[in-house]
Amino acid sequence: MSFRNRAPYVLWSVAVLGTVGLLAFGEIAGRTSRNKTFSGTATVGDGESRFSISIEPVSFGVNSVANKYKLLEISIENGSTTPLTLSSDQDRFEALVNGQAIPALLSLQRADSTLWNSFSTAARKDLAYPLRVGPATAGRSTVPEYLSIFVFLPADRMSEMPTEFRYTIASLRTTVTLRKPPATRA
Amino acid sequence: MLSKALELFIGWLKSQRYWATIEPFFIIALAWVGAQLLSFEWIGTRTAFKPSFRLFLDSYLSHWITIGALGLAALILLFRSRPGIPARESASHLRMFWSANRRLILYRTGGTLLILAVVALGFRRYAPSQVSHITVRFMDLDSDITPEGLAYLIYEINRLQRNWYFEIDFAPFNPEEFSSDQATRCQDDSRPKLCQAEILAEGRPFIGITAQSLGGAYFAEHRGAVSVITTAEQSVYAPLTSYEYLAYCLILQAMSIHLDADGSLPQDAFDSARLTHGGFFQFVPYKQAVKSSILAARLTPEEEMLLLNRFGRDYVATCADLLTMNWLYSDRVKGNFEHVFKTKLER
């Protein structure tokens, strides 16, 4: 069989494989490249704690809690053998939008009790601002303690994606700035 | 000597005219005595619980044996009596036998059912209640106690149990999780920790452990199915460790919760008393006496009786074993505390 005779089969095969390949890459590309990660560190006792926020811009823009708040999850990794004490009364969390610092609510129980009371017991348990992040386990290698906390940003003031976050932890007497990592060339 | 006397007595009875009449009742009486003695021996086997015979005679087991014996005696009386109903012997076929003795059969069947119903009611009246599991949550712990050390202590208590156990909820307690109404209610409550524990309990038996002071009690507060224990008075129970103190308090509060759920917690339990003999439900306003109570923990005969009749032999036997604290001071448990949890139990 000459190349001319084989050509339609080859073209069909390339077309089918190419479509499948593009669809597959499209699926992967659509889910991985959009998340924006902000991170920062603070010294706690003898070690370091890492704070990070990962935001998917589309869902951040669209989703809200009762059309009032944007829910933000902060991941904390305490690498210190000292527990990290938190306080919804004294800690502060701010998002920087268009150069303006917008404070988040840490305790919806006090700030918006009607909405807070409408959540189920299990949801309140998950969303409540914790009292502490446990210490890392010391051993041959230190195993950090992980915890996720949630804060509520006013939805009507989130016209754009925040560019930076500032987290003030009263027990540490410090403010952690969570930024996007600097752009790198491939 | 005793068997010889009994033999003579039975021989004399057998020579009497009325022996045939009383023979089955005499056998039942002998079986009653035998069953009581066997049960008394069984109740004290392999446990620290050794009741007196007087206490045993007041127990549900003794009552069950008596009710069974009386029921049997009543059945014998029933089958011997024939009030104005003549028996007809001639009937050979079942149908003819039924038509000839219908009244007698109905009388005995009715009587048997009535006796069985009374016996069943009697058994039920004295039957021990089932007890429920109890959830333990660490609301906030002092620095000398670790959640894993306390969990180990509780698992060791559970190892000795057969009918119920403590379940641990490791979720860290956070007052922020309450609704605003719940938070306000507990702020205004004279017993804020007990109030919080009641919310966390969600209607189930629950014990909360906290390091903070309680509203109106030195060591523990109890209401309904909920108790809260504090380690705030650590200096009072020292040199005992918080683990020893908590082992004692957990057992005490578990019994209080079970008795309260059953409606049989003594009215005067934990009332302030000037005179004390170290009873389990006695409260001494002199708080340093808690050490004495822990070290010489025991159940009084009245308390043993109460627990035996409300929850059965296994329950009171387990409580008696737990209270000796021998399990806590065994080489295995002491060694585990020392090597794994870095706490030395001195006794």
Side-chain angles (χ1 to χ4, degrees), chain A residues 3 20 29 32-33 40 55 57 65 77 80 96 99 110 112 114 134 143 155 165 173 177:
Chain A
F3 177 75
V20 169
T32 55
S33 63
I55 298 177
V65 180
E77 181 187 324
S80 163
L96 214 65
R110 287 191 297 274
D112 190 345
T114 313
V143 182
F165 296 99
R173 293 179 186 163
T177 306

Side-chain angles (χ1 to χ4, degrees), chain A residues 65 69-73 88 105-109 115-131 148-152, chain B residues 174-178:
Chain A
V65 180
Y69 305 104
K70 299 283 184 191
L71 185 67
L72 208 61
E73 181 180 2
S88 64
L105 300 177
L106 303 186
S107 171
L108 222 53
Q109 185 197 62
L115 177 62
W116 185 248
N117 296 350
S118 72
F119 294 147
S120 68
T121 307
R124 285 203 307 264
K125 209 180 247 184
D126 290 335
L127 293 171
Y129 190 77
L131 301 176
S148 279
I149 66 172
F150 293 93
V151 297
F152 297 84
Chain B
N174 183 356
E176 293 277 337
E177 73 192 50
F178 288 165

Side-chain angles (χ1 to χ4, degrees), chain A residues 55-139:
Chain A
I55 298 177
E56 200 286 304
V58 175
S59 55
F60 184 79
V62 171
N63 293 341
S64 68
V65 180
N67 285 326
K68 288 166 89 175
Y69 305 104
K70 299 283 184 191
L71 185 67
L72 208 61
E73 181 180 2
I74 308 162
S75 300
I76 305 176
E77 181 187 324
N78 186 12
S80 163
T81 50
T82 311
L84 173 58
T85 307
L86 303 174
S87 161
S88 64
D89 281 341
Q90 291 160 23
D91 297 350
R92 252 178 93 78
F93 189 89
E94 292 170 333
L96 214 65
V97 179
N98 289 332
Q100 199 184 353
I102 297 167
L105 300 177
L106 303 186
S107 171
L108 222 53
Q109 185 197 62
R110 287 191 297 274
D112 190 345
S113 57
T114 313
L115 177 62
W116 185 248
N117 296 350
S118 72
F119 294 147
S120 68
T121 307
R124 285 203 307 264
K125 209 180 247 184
D126 290 335
L127 293 171
Y129 190 77
L131 301 176
R132 73 202 280 268
V133 184
T137 311

Side-chain angles (χ1 to χ4, degrees), chain A residues 16-39:
Chain A
V16 169
L17 288 172
T19 310
V20 169
L22 281 172
L23 283 171
F25 277 107
E27 176 73 12
I28 293 165
R31 290 193 183 275
T32 55
S33 63
R34 288 181 180 163
N35 278 10
K36 308 288 180 209
T37 305
F38 302 78
S39 57

